[in-house]
Amino acid sequence: MSCESDFLAALKGKKVPILVLDQKWHRLFAIHGKPEEIKELEALLNSLLARQGKLNNELKEMKKIKAKLMSNIVENMDDNDHEAAESREKQLSDDRRLIDEINEKSEQYEEELMELPEKIRSVNEQLMLKSMDYFYEKIRINKEESKEIEEWIQQVRIDLKKNIIRKQNRDINNKEMYAYLHDILGPEVLNLFDYQYEDGQRQEDTQS
């Protein structure tokens, strides 16, 4: 994309899961932990989801209470006991008042619930963008370090090949020198020198 606005426009309409509800998203931070900026967005998103759940539960409870109050009103209206008329009227008045309060509060909750999905979507999108910034930076660093390690491995391979050749040359050179000395001095004399130099080498190894 040519710029961030184009990138964000391309994301519109794409389905993005609620990240804080996805255990795989949490596991991505298992090694390094979450940076503060992501923790703050995570907390905000969790609070919005909690608020949404609370409002839905309270609406369900208020609907149950309202149904019960409506049932009480019907029962009191059908009651023909004139002696209890005053008490019945008071109960009807209280029930209607409570129903009005429930209707008013339900309307407030429903309006808030209509706004919450967009807020949740917006914060979740911010969290996604911050997360992707974080992960792609980690990926970039890992690639750089992987490249450095690969270059080191290649150099080690080159050095290893060179040292293998050097070792082979030293071994061949030793065999040639020993063969020539053997031919010149003979085995008996050479054995004496072998013993002398090997004994001297053992003493040096002991002292070191």
Side-chain angles (χ1 to χ4, degrees):
M1 295 296 169
S2 59
C3 62
E4 186 176 353
S5 60
D6 291 335
F7 174 71
L8 293 175
L11 284 174
K12 295 295 182 184
K14 299 294 187 294
K15 186 177 180 181
V16 179
I18 303 297
L19 297 179
V20 295
L21 302 180
D22 192 326
Q23 287 304 310
K24 289 181 181 178
W25 178 79
H26 290 284
R27 286 202 293 270
L28 284 167
F29 297 95
I31 296 176
H32 301 288
K34 296 169 185 169
E36 285 303 315
E37 195 172 23
I38 286 177
K39 284 182 180 179
E40 290 173 5
L41 286 170
E42 178 186 15
L44 177 56
L45 185 54
N46 279 329
S47 68
L48 290 172
L49 291 169
R51 179 64 177 168
Q52 187 181 51
K54 181 180 179 182
L55 290 178
N56 280 321
N57 288 334
E58 291 192 6
L59 273 175
K60 289 178 183 177
E61 290 302 314
M62 285 191 290
K63 285 178 180 179
K64 291 178 183 178
I65 295 170
K66 182 179 176 180
K68 177 63 175 173
L69 291 171
M70 294 292 290
S71 177
N72 289 344
I73 289 173
V74 171
E75 288 178 8
N76 284 324
M77 289 177 68
D78 292 340
D79 192 346
N80 294 320
D81 185 356
H82 297 290
E83 293 180 1
E86 184 177 345
S87 174
R88 187 169 63 250
E89 284 299 322
K90 184 179 184 307
Q91 184 63 49
L92 281 169
S93 177
D94 289 343
D95 288 347
R96 289 189 181 109
R97 177 180 57 78
L98 288 172
I99 288 173
D100 288 340
E101 290 177 1
I102 287 174
N103 286 337
E104 183 179 353
K105 186 169 285 188
S106 294
E107 187 177 343
Q108 293 173 357
Y109 284 5
E110 285 169 355
E111 287 179 1
E112 189 176 350
L113 279 169
M114 288 179 65
E115 297 172 356
L116 275 172
E118 177 57 27
K119 290 181 179 179
I120 289 171
R121 186 203 63 76
S122 176
V123 175
N124 189 59
E125 186 177 89
Q126 292 177 54
L127 184 59
M128 176 196 66
L129 293 173
K130 292 299 179 184
S131 296
M132 295 308 286
D133 283 345
Y134 174 80
F135 293 131
Y136 270 86
E137 178 63 12
K138 289 292 183 186
I139 289 170
R140 184 190 66 78
I141 292 171
N142 284 342
K143 282 183 176 179
E144 288 181 357
E145 292 181 354
S146 177
K147 184 179 178 182
E148 290 174 2
I149 293 169
E150 176 63 23
E151 290 172 354
W152 177 84
I153 290 171
Q154 291 296 337
Q155 187 59 49
V156 167
R157 286 173 176 164
I158 292 170
D159 292 342
L160 180 62
K161 288 178 182 178
K162 288 180 179 178
N163 284 327
I164 288 173
I165 292 170
R166 290 175 65 194
K167 178 184 181 302
Q168 289 173 342
N169 288 337
R170 299 301 185 276
D171 291 342
I172 291 170
N173 190 236
N174 277 348
K175 286 181 181 179
E176 289 178 347
M177 286 190 292
Y178 198 84
Y180 290 147
L181 290 171
H182 185 277
D183 290 344
I184 295 169
L185 301 176
E188 292 184 5
V189 174
L190 197 59
N191 284 340
L192 291 173
F193 279 101
D194 284 344
Y195 181 80
Q196 175 67 20
Y197 281 100
E198 285 175 2
D199 184 58
Q201 184 62 49
R202 280 195 296 270
Q203 289 180 9
E204 288 180 9
D205 290 342
T206 304
Q207 290 172 0
S208 61

